[in-house]
Amino acid sequence: FSSEIIEPLQKKLGRSLSGLHKKRNYRLTLTLLFWLRVLIAQDRLSPAAQNSSLRGYSRISPHRKTTFLDVHCSHCAVVSSSGQMLGAGAGDEIDRTGCVIRMNNAPTRGYEKDVGKRTTMRVVSHTSVPLLVENEQYYFKQSANTTYVFWGPKRNMRQDGEGIIFNVLLKLAVKYRKSNMYVVTESKIKYCDSVFQNETGKNRMKTGAFLSTGFFTMILAMEMCDRITVYGMIDDKYCSRANHSDVPYHYYEQKRLSECRMYKYHESTQRGGHRFITEKAIYAKWATQHNIQFKHPTWKL
């Protein structure tokens, strides 16, 4: 414990022991020990409680009370929606992890063996909100213990009555009072844009790209988790390898485009695409700086 706290207490305790009656000294010692315990407890507050970056996630409240996300996990499982999860058999391992983070509307029912069944948090794009609304009883009532973090552009998420998606979420928050729903603040969105530009040297908006839900998820995970295991995410070189496997873009949409075809299309489109492959290269760099590992497939960093 810091000397700034210990030394004054020791001096004060020493003076009291030399000048006071034993019984009084005993009471004073107990009092000082009590306050020392309080100070130690404050010093051991979870990193999330001391982490100002989590103020970038504001709770959706019917009472318009400003509350920020306050969560910390020693070990997080970030579960990709990729078809790589099919046959992974990682369900039990994922469920044993302290916090399980999923994205958008990725289901667990019917896929428990591969992706697990627990969900601590979901990071959801504004475009996926209608998919959750279609099954709102499940997402916001049956899964009331799940924390939802929604992101989207200002035009959809503005809170002055003109944000179409935010208005939908606010109605859900009123209807399901026990739900834990947060939005990524406008300042946090700008921060994520600046991270992308710092890592790539490219302005996201000028290149006609949108950050993916995976990008927001990885940033949030690094802010709230000490250790991260990412399941089902391919690296940036995967699709260029001759022997890469051909899997669906989403494990729960097996008749849609393949993952690599989707990634290559988005990487090259001039307007409105996600830079999935570029983002994977960024994650590889982050993994050398943070406690992050990748499984199914394993990355060679």
Side-chain angles (χ1 to χ4, degrees):
F1 206 66
S2 65
S3 59
E4 290 82 358
I5 294 174
I6 290 293
E7 290 175 2
L9 284 171
Q10 287 176 331
K11 290 178 181 179
K12 192 170 183 179
L13 183 58
R15 287 196 298 270
S16 67
L17 289 174
S18 62
L20 295 174
H21 189 270
K22 281 187 177 182
K23 193 170 184 180
R24 190 177 178 186
N25 290 344
Y26 178 70
R27 290 173 182 170
L28 180 58
T29 300
L30 289 178
T31 301
L32 290 171
L33 288 173
F34 168 78
W35 284 111
L36 179 60
R37 183 178 178 182
V38 170
L39 289 169
I40 292 172
Q42 290 177 343
D43 191 62
R44 289 178 178 173
L45 284 174
S46 69
Q50 302 173 8
N51 190 351
S52 61
S53 61
L54 287 174
R55 294 177 65 85
Y57 310 93
S58 178
R59 184 160 189 171
I60 302 173
S61 171
H63 308 294
R64 300 298 177 124
K65 181 182 179 181
T66 302
T67 307
F68 298 106
L69 185 64
D70 183 5
V71 61
H72 170 252
C73 299
S74 60
H75 185 196
C76 294
V78 173
V79 185
S80 167
S81 301
S82 166
Q84 299 288 340
M85 293 306 296
L86 294 171
D92 289 342
E93 180 180 330
I94 290 170
D95 284 339
R96 288 194 299 269
T97 309
C99 294
V100 180
I101 306 173
R102 303 185 192 275
M103 288 169 261
N104 295 321
N105 63 316
T108 57
R109 190 175 301 166
Y111 301 95
E112 294 90 344
K113 184 177 179 181
D114 292 328
V115 305
K117 58 185 178 182
R118 290 182 53 240
T119 306
T120 310
M121 180 174 292
R122 278 187 187 271
V123 182
V124 183
S125 164
H126 60 113
T127 58
S128 292
V129 170
L131 299 175
L132 269 61
V133 172
E134 288 179 3
N135 197 5
E136 63 178 73
Q137 283 278 324
Y138 170 76
Y139 287 109
F140 303 108
K141 187 175 183 180
Q142 296 177 38
S143 301
N145 292 331
T146 299
T147 297
Y148 293 86
V149 175
F150 299 93
W151 73 272
K154 182 179 179 179
R155 66 179 182 275
N156 288 338
M157 306 301 284
R158 55 192 299 173
Q159 301 181 26
D160 58 359
E162 299 298 323
I164 297 176
I165 297 300
F166 182 81
N167 290 344
V168 171
L169 296 174
L170 185 59
K171 289 180 180 178
L172 289 170
V174 171
K175 186 174 182 179
Y176 302 99
R177 298 278 178 164
K178 294 183 179 180
S179 63
N180 297 308
M181 301 164 60
Y182 293 79
V183 292
V184 182
T185 64
E186 184 180 354
S187 61
K188 192 67 174 185
I189 295 283
K190 292 179 179 177
Y191 166 77
C192 292
D193 283 344
S194 69
V195 170
F196 182 85
Q197 183 162 341
N198 289 339
E199 296 289 1
T200 65
K202 297 178 181 180
N203 181 283
R204 177 194 65 78
M205 296 184 69
K206 289 182 179 180
T207 61
F210 293 105
L211 297 178
S212 72
T213 299
F215 195 87
F216 289 104
T217 302
M218 289 295 288
I219 286 183
L220 174 57
M222 288 191 295
E223 292 169 344
M224 61 174 270
C225 312
D226 295 332
R227 180 162 63 100
I228 304 166
T229 302
V230 184
Y231 292 86
M233 186 180 289
I234 61 174
D235 63 61
D236 60 307
K237 301 292 193 301
Y238 184 89
C239 293
S240 61
R241 298 188 187 109
N243 61 343
H244 72 265
S245 58
D246 187 24
V247 301
Y249 175 55
H250 288 150
Y251 66 79
Y252 51 92
E253 296 177 334
Q254 299 179 36
K255 294 183 180 180
R256 301 291 181 90
L257 285 175
S258 72
E259 180 174 58
C260 283
R261 286 182 64 188
M262 181 70 80
Y263 279 17
K264 289 177 180 178
Y265 167 79
H266 274 270
E267 194 71 19
S268 60
T269 189
Q270 294 184 355
R271 301 295 302 176
H274 295 301
R275 304 301 185 234
F276 292 118
I277 296 175
T278 296
E279 289 181 2
K280 301 297 188 291
I282 296 173
Y283 305 157
K285 178 181 177 182
W286 290 347
T288 65
Q289 303 165 346
H290 301 270
N291 194 347
I292 304 173
Q293 68 174 137
F294 300 86
K295 291 187 174 183
H296 307 290
T298 301
W299 290 24
K300 294 181 180 180
L301 298 172

